[in-house]
Amino acid sequence: LDALRAAPLEELLRAQREAAFQLALPLGGLAFQPCIDGDLLPESPLAAISRGSAAEVSVLVGTNRDEWKLFMLADARARRMDEAALRRRFGRVLPEPEAERAYQAYREAPDSPRRLDPRERWSAFQGDRIFHWPAARLLELLRGHSRENFAYSFRWSPPLLERQIGACHGIELPFVFGTILEPWLRPWLGAMPGAIKLSHRVQ
């Protein structure tokens, strides 16, 4: 503990970056998360919510259609992903036989021809695992306790970047805050047909 307190800030930040890239990005988790210590965080938040701890809180929960595509941009190994590499990734995040069942389920998904691409299937799986399913689970636990729950699914994507990022993680935020006409966003978001109208609707 003394050595940690004495460590230079630059070293701590470097170690944080390395841990995030080594532990989080390849498998799609968070390298640092709140710790249930029995004091500040006495129990799992989901356990508390299921008992009604959020009964007086109005909750808005939502996800974007292509959440994981943003993170795929930084995943250099995914650019060369074939079926064998995809199967190994399923095996790293799920135990057997769930890994094989998930691999087959996403292989046979009929809703999009792009799912034939291993990269697209991994992106879809990660979006479901890390964003869509937890959001749905939270809403389930809130039902019957919270007085007001709202859910959204954001599906708009910029035509110029449709294939690369789709409706990726965070793309709804400029619509929420009305910043789609900022100079660096205007060509990709604000100049698209219907974008301003959509921003007003979201707000």
Side-chain angles (χ1 to χ4, degrees):
L1 184 59
D2 290 339
L4 183 61
R5 286 175 171 160
L9 175 60
E10 294 76 15
E11 282 296 299
L12 291 174
L13 293 176
R14 182 188 59 77
Q16 176 180 304
R17 285 191 301 271
E18 288 183 4
F21 276 103
Q22 291 178 18
L23 302 176
L25 186 60
L27 301 182
L30 295 174
F32 304 98
Q33 301 182 41
C35 179
I36 300 170
D37 63 355
D39 181 22
L40 181 63
L41 193 59
E43 62 180 328
S44 160
L46 291 181
I49 288 169
S50 69
R51 288 199 332 273
S53 67
E56 299 303 314
V57 180
S58 297
V59 178
L60 171 65
V61 180
T63 59
N64 298 348
R65 182 190 61 209
D66 305 303
E67 289 278 2
W68 198 251
K69 281 198 168 195
L70 177 67
F71 305 99
M72 293 291 283
L73 295 176
D75 189 352
R77 291 183 180 176
R79 297 182 194 124
R80 303 182 302 275
M81 188 184 299
D82 58 13
E83 290 296 327
L86 175 62
R87 181 62 189 80
R88 286 194 297 272
R89 287 198 180 202
F90 274 96
R92 285 200 293 266
V93 298
L94 294 172
E96 293 296 352
E98 284 79 8
E100 181 62 26
R101 287 172 52 203
Y103 170 76
Q104 294 297 337
Y106 281 83
R107 186 177 187 179
E108 298 164 8
D111 59 331
S112 171
R114 293 181 300 174
R115 294 280 174 92
L116 297 175
D117 183 336
R119 294 168 298 179
E120 292 287 344
R121 278 184 275 148
W122 178 250
S123 180
F125 168 72
Q126 288 290 81
D128 289 343
R129 183 173 77 96
I130 296 169
F131 295 98
H132 304 138
W133 184 84
R137 178 71 175 134
L138 175 59
L139 286 166
E140 285 178 5
L141 294 177
L142 287 166
R143 190 180 348 181
H145 293 297
S146 181
R147 58 183 179 181
E148 287 186 309
N149 299 317
F150 303 91
Y152 72 84
S153 174
F154 194 85
R155 308 178 80 78
W156 185 92
S157 58
L160 297 177
L161 297 171
E162 169 72 35
R163 186 169 179 81
Q164 289 84 0
I165 65 172
C168 69
H169 184 69
I171 201 168
E172 83 283 16
L173 296 178
F175 291 87
V176 171
F177 294 107
T179 57
I180 61 171
L181 295 180
E182 289 292 309
W184 69 282
L185 288 174
R186 182 189 293 264
W188 311 106
L189 303 181
M192 298 300 107
I196 295 175
K197 183 177 180 181
L198 176 60
S199 182
H200 291 161
R201 184 178 177 195
V202 169
Q203 288 178 325

